[in-house]
């Protein structure tokens, strides 16, 4: 559904019906830049500002977990210069946002193939995660070199190994056991998935975890996305009837 027509009006969000976990596919930085005849990197820089706004707003509203798809396993196939710029931007973001995360009681976590990230980013990431370890106001989950098929493959390998060594019985593998072997272990599944820029696809994001997630796709490009539209989407979410297959 598109957001442009739904009026935010004076409708107030019901704090009791907020999603516990919001996941976002932040797409459209390149198109935003192209529209302005700018380099794609400029789009990523503007996109980083949106990240700041949405993290802040999520914290203010009382969202428990915010998972942001920042770099996919497939994104390694982009030009080397774009990858380098994205990594540099990520590194800067992780440093510049530290004090605000500390002040606002936000814990940083990363999901994905962290060992594939450049050493400098890995170090900064580790430092920021260590610094915010005790924060419990909100969990900010960055999906970095993340791919759901990679995550599922890794889970199958781990469980197969445990079955071979006798640590687990193959018959004891339940959906709960599977969930506890994914990057998102100990987290509730996303209640709401937002994708910006209008593509009607999942792009290898959280395939297992979104089985019953409400999906909202907006045409707005990520650098143009902001607090007002985010709140409108949350209001839309609160109107939905989640049946989970029941009547
Ligand atoms: C999203 O914007 C950011 C990343 C995937 C890193 P894109 O770079 O995919 O922007 P478009 O889709 O080309 O507009
Ligand atoms: C999805 O966007 C990945 C991230 C937002 C990090 P892409 O731009 O990489 O996805 P596709 O290529 O449109 O599927
Ligand atoms: Mg894209």
């Amino acid at each position: 559904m598109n957001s442009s027509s739904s009026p935010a009006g004076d409708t107030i969000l019901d704090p009791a019906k907020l999603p516990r976990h919001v996941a976002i596919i932040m797409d459209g930085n390149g198109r935003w830049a192209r529209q302005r005849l700018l380099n794609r990197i400029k789009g990523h820089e503007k996109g980083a500002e949106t990240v700041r706004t949405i993290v802040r707003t999520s914290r203010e509203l009382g969202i428990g977990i915010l998972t942001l798809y920042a770099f996919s396993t497939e994104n390694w196939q982009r030009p080397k210069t774009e990858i380098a710029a994205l990594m540099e931007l990520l590194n800067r973001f992780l440093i510049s946002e530290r004090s605000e995360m500390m002040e606002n009681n936000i814990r940083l976590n990363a999901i994905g193939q962290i060992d594939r990230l450049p050493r400098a980013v890995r170090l900064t990431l580790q430092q920021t995660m260590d610094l915010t370890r005790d924060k419990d106001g909100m969990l900010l989950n960055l999906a970095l070199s993340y791919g759901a098929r990679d995550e599922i493959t890794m889970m199958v390998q781990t469980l197969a190994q445990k079955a071979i060594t006798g640590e687990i019985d193959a018959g004891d593998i339940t959906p709960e056991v599977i969930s506890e072997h994914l990057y998102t272990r100990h987290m509730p599944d996303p209640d709401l998935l937002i994708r910006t820029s209008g593509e009607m696809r999942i792009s290898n994001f959280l395939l297992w975890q979104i089985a019953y997630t409400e999906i909202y796709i907006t045409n707005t490009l990520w650098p143009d996305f902001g607090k007002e539209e985010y709140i409108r989407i949350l209001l839309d979410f609160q109107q939905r009837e989640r049946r989970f297959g029941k009547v």
Side-chain angles (χ1 to χ4, degrees):
M1 185 196 265
N2 196 293
S3 69
S4 53
S5 61
S6 66
D10 293 322
T11 326
I12 301 293
L13 278 171
D14 178 355
K17 283 172 67 186
L18 275 176
R20 279 202 293 171
H21 183 173
V22 176
I24 306 184
I25 302 175
M26 311 184 288
D27 196 20
N29 294 349
R31 275 162 281 179
W32 184 91
R34 198 176 54 208
Q35 282 178 357
R36 288 161 180 77
L37 304 177
L38 295 170
N39 188 292
R40 294 177 58 84
I41 313 298
K42 291 286 174 212
H44 295 313
E45 284 170 2
K46 191 73 169 54
E49 288 177 32
T50 307
V51 174
R52 217 164 273 140
T53 306
I54 296 308
V55 170
R56 212 171 273 166
T57 304
S58 301
R59 175 67 186 108
E60 283 166 11
L61 294 172
I63 304 288
I65 306 177
L66 176 66
T67 299
L68 300 177
Y69 203 6
F71 195 87
S72 73
T73 47
E74 288 73 25
N75 289 152
W76 290 114
Q77 294 163 57
R78 292 190 179 197
K80 275 200 174 64
T81 48
E82 181 171 348
I83 296 173
L86 278 167
M87 292 300 152
E88 173 60 34
L89 195 58
L90 172 61
N91 205 31
R92 266 191 279 146
F93 178 86
L94 291 168
I95 295 171
S96 66
E97 298 314 294
R98 262 180 202 164
S99 55
E100 185 164 335
M101 284 188 224
M102 302 284 286
E103 266 167 44
N104 290 340
N105 202 19
I106 297 172
R107 178 156 78 94
L108 180 75
N109 182 56
I111 61 172
Q113 307 165 324
I114 302 313
D115 51 347
R116 280 184 81 181
L117 300 173
R119 191 181 135 80
V121 175
R122 257 177 8 236
L123 287 175
T124 315
L125 187 61
Q126 195 55 55
Q127 284 166 353
T128 311
M129 290 195 296
D130 288 346
L131 274 169
T132 60
R133 171 154 292 156
D134 304 325
K135 306 298 175 196
D136 59 3
M138 181 176 88
L139 178 66
L140 172 60
N141 241 343
L142 288 186
L144 300 171
S145 189
Y146 174 88
R149 286 189 165 181
D150 159 73
E151 177 182 42
I152 289 168
T153 304
M154 190 190 64
M155 172 273 293
V156 171
Q157 287 176 352
T158 306
L159 288 177
Q161 198 57 42
K162 286 187 179 180
I164 288 167
T165 59
E167 203 182 314
I168 193 168
D169 240 27
D172 290 339
I173 298 174
T174 60
E176 289 72 27
V177 170
I178 289 176
S179 292
E180 285 310 309
H181 285 79
L182 300 175
Y183 292 124
T184 49
R185 64 185 69 94
H186 310 319
M187 298 175 204
D189 290 337
D191 301 294
L192 173 64
L193 170 68
I194 301 170
R195 181 170 188 143
T196 58
S197 299
E199 307 296 353
M200 300 287 179
R201 55 179 174 252
I202 298 298
S203 302
N204 202 13
F205 194 39
L206 303 174
L207 294 180
W208 171 269
Q209 296 89 335
I210 60 170
Y212 261 104
T213 299
E214 295 296 324
I215 299 177
Y216 194 106
I217 294 173
T218 169
N219 287 325
T220 306
L221 305 175
W222 179 250
D224 290 327
F225 191 73
K227 180 172 179 167
E228 277 180 28
E229 184 170 9
Y230 186 31
I231 291 177
R232 255 189 276 129
I233 293 172
L234 292 169
L235 280 166
D236 178 279
F237 168 83
Q238 296 196 329
Q239 303 306 313
R240 298 206 191 169
E241 189 197 346
R242 300 183 76 190
R243 283 193 292 271
F244 300 98
K246 301 169 212 162
V247 289

